[in-house]
Amino acid sequence: MSQHQIIAKKFSSIFKVAPQLVVACPGRINLIGEHTDYNNGFVLPAAIDKMITIAISRRKDNLLHFVAVDFDQQFKGKLDKLDRSPQLWPDYINGVLEQFRKKNFAIGGLNIVIGGDIPAGAGLSSSAALECGIAFGLNELFELSLDKFELVKMAQAAENEFVGVRCGIMDQFASMFGKEGHAILLDCRSLKYEYVPLDLHQHEILLMDTRVKHSLAAGEYNVRRKQCEQGVTALRKVYPQVESLRDANRAMIEYTLKDLVPETIYNRCKYVVEENLRLQVGCEALRRNDIVTFGKKMYASHMGLSKLYEVSCPELDYLVDLAREEYSIAGARMMGGGFGGCTINIVKKSSINEVIERMSIAFKARFGIEPLAYKCNLSNGTHSVSGKK
């Protein structure tokens, strides 16, 4: 029985009727381009075959009844009183509902059951998957005829405004627009995007999960965003055309900004500008199937994230150090917001099991905990599995 069938069956057992709609919402990886999205830069994400399934139906009243199978938890509320929940996970649903209500769309009460196989805390954006799935489901159930761009923006706004994380648009965009066998080169300013075929040939994507999430993560994310904004404010005094770090170049950072701001602000901005350049070079490498060059850009990305942007941690740094010692790993870096979660590695398929074993043994010897390993394939974005089309 598939994950989708299991969640639909659970819905039926709880609510005594089959769900009107079942939605598949994938998690995402990001090959390169980290912390550039909220700076209006470029990212290269892809949807993966680890996802959340949402079974959903309309109610005849304005009540809300959510069930999270994996947490064995329930939430009950009212559509006209969307409050924060101490359980946290309902906030991602309620945040999307709030966006639809703010735009005066006619929606009603809901019965929802969710479950999935996106590892919690691994930096694979289970929150964005859930937000996109709910937005997609509401659009289908209430026949609102919104396009995917609008749904993505509403999902992002839910996380920014209701949950309180000032994330960029990458995670939601990747979850909604993913395409099997492709990465997405996304311009986070214009939202123009291009599918980049990702044929890894003899290689495979491997995620190594540190299984740690340091308490700095949530607060420091918002701090980094503010630091980048401070850098832009300083640059604008000399270069009025700079509206975000997307508009800055290396010369501006090295010869102007360095003298205007504290070293910390300079380092943050230097990383972002360099990461945008790395991504452009990396995409050109992928287009010519040059995995070696792309892998070097991944390692350079991690160095910047660790030393300049300072969002890594000892566990992530050690996994990347281990990857550098493996001849069969073309490239590796930390992925996601930082301070824990996963590294993403491009590994030769013929060696992947041995690599996992060696890295796991060394990591456990250092930190006393065994990392989790996930092999990933690229998948399609958020879509209905059954029910309304």
Side-chain angles (χ1 to χ4, degrees):
M1 188 180 294
S2 71
Q3 174 179 295
H4 308 316
Q5 292 169 325
I6 291 170
I7 298 303
K9 186 176 180 181
K10 185 70 173 179
F11 184 102
S12 298
S13 69
I14 295 170
F15 297 110
K16 311 306 178 187
V17 64
Q20 289 179 281
L21 181 68
V22 178
V23 180
C25 342
R28 68 98 186 97
I29 56 173
N30 187 32
L31 291 154
I32 196 168
E34 211 68 73
H35 287 277
T36 49
D37 58 346
Y38 55 80
N39 288 294
N40 287 336
F42 298 93
V43 290
L44 191 68
I48 58 173
D49 57 352
K50 299 193 183 304
M51 60 190 64
I52 291 174
T53 298
I54 301 173
I56 181 171
S57 285
R58 299 170 60 165
R59 294 175 61 104
K60 295 180 180 178
D61 52 29
N62 278 337
L63 299 180
L64 305 170
H65 188 178
F66 311 152
V67 178
V69 173
D70 301 323
F71 299 144
D72 193 23
Q73 292 180 356
Q74 298 193 29
F75 170 88
K76 294 183 179 180
K78 296 181 179 180
L79 190 61
D80 56 1
K81 194 175 186 298
L82 296 170
D83 295 327
R84 297 287 296 271
S85 167
Q87 295 170 297
L88 300 181
W89 62 266
D91 292 352
Y92 299 102
I93 303 175
N94 285 334
V96 176
L97 292 173
E98 181 184 69
Q99 290 300 313
F100 277 78
R101 286 177 61 80
K102 280 184 175 181
K103 293 180 180 293
N104 297 315
F105 289 117
I107 60 174
L110 297 162
N111 291 327
I112 296 174
V113 176
I114 63 172
D117 61 357
I118 301 177
L124 303 182
S125 295
S126 56
S127 59
L130 179 55
E131 290 155 353
C132 286
I134 295 298
F136 183 94
L138 293 174
N139 190 46
E140 295 290 300
L141 277 182
F142 296 98
E143 299 177 349
L144 302 175
S145 300
L146 298 172
D147 63 30
K148 285 187 175 182
F149 277 106
E150 185 65 22
L151 296 177
V152 165
K153 290 175 184 176
M154 292 170 77
Q156 180 198 11
E159 185 137 355
N160 290 171
E161 298 171 17
F162 196 92
V163 180
V165 177
R166 297 184 66 199
C167 65
I169 203 167
M170 175 185 70
D171 296 346
Q172 291 82 4
F173 197 98
S175 184
M176 188 70 74
F177 281 90
K179 183 177 180 182
E180 186 175 356
H182 295 74
I184 307 168
L185 172 55
L186 172 64
D187 180 336
C188 294
R189 180 167 61 186
S190 68
L191 295 188
K192 291 181 179 179
Y193 66 100
E194 171 190 346
Y195 288 112
V196 179
L198 188 60
D199 187 352
L200 293 171
H201 302 292
Q202 297 94 0
H203 292 83
E204 192 166 2
I205 294 169
L206 170 68
L207 306 178
M208 294 295 291
D209 185 356
T210 62
R211 299 173 67 186
V212 301
K213 194 69 176 177
H214 294 285
S215 58
L216 284 170
E220 288 296 314
Y221 186 101
N222 291 340
V223 168
R224 293 302 180 280
R225 184 163 186 159
K226 185 176 181 180
Q227 290 169 335
C228 291
E229 290 168 354
Q230 289 173 323
V232 171
T233 299
L235 280 172
R236 281 178 64 84
K237 294 175 181 177
V238 181
Y239 306 102
Q241 73 273 23
V242 174
E243 296 180 358
S244 69
L245 288 177
R246 160 68 174 275
D247 301 314
N249 57 41
R250 275 178 169 161
M252 292 178 185
I253 300 298
E254 292 298 330
Y255 300 118
T256 301
L257 187 65
K258 195 170 187 178
D259 297 326
L260 296 176
V261 297
E263 185 179 11
T264 298
I265 304 298
Y266 160 76
N267 284 341
R268 305 296 189 251
C269 297
K270 175 180 169 70
Y271 161 75
V272 172
V273 170
E274 291 181 347
E275 183 77 344
N276 277 319
L277 293 171
R278 274 191 290 267
L279 184 143
Q280 299 293 339
V281 175
C283 283
E284 286 301 318
L286 285 183
R287 291 188 184 102
R288 60 177 186 268
N289 292 322
D290 184 354
I291 297 297
V292 172
T293 295
F294 186 81
K296 289 178 180 177
K297 296 303 173 185
M298 291 177 70
Y299 282 126
S301 173
H302 182 82
M303 184 64 70
L305 286 161
S306 179
K307 305 305 180 186
L308 297 177
Y309 219 66
E310 295 184 283
V311 290
S312 189
C313 63
E315 294 89 347
L316 289 168
D317 287 344
Y318 188 60
L319 280 177
V320 173
D321 287 343
L322 290 174
R324 289 180 184 276
E325 298 173 6
E326 295 284 348
Y327 75 93
S328 58
I329 297 183
R333 66 176 191 86
M334 60 151 278
M335 185 185 72
F339 305 105
C342 285
T343 61
I344 178 171
N345 306 261
I346 296 181
V347 190
K348 285 187 177 178
K349 291 179 181 178
S350 58
S351 306
I352 195 164
N353 291 330
E354 292 86 350
V355 164
I356 292 171
E357 183 178 6
R358 282 192 295 269
M359 292 178 70
S360 297
I361 290 171
F363 187 88
K364 186 175 182 180
R366 172 70 67 91
F367 297 105
I369 185 172
E370 189 167 340
L372 299 176
Y374 309 107
K375 302 174 187 178
C376 288
N377 296 301
L378 308 191
S379 78
N380 291 321
T382 302
H383 60 280
S384 59
V385 178
S386 64
K388 291 177 175 286
K389 300 295 183 185

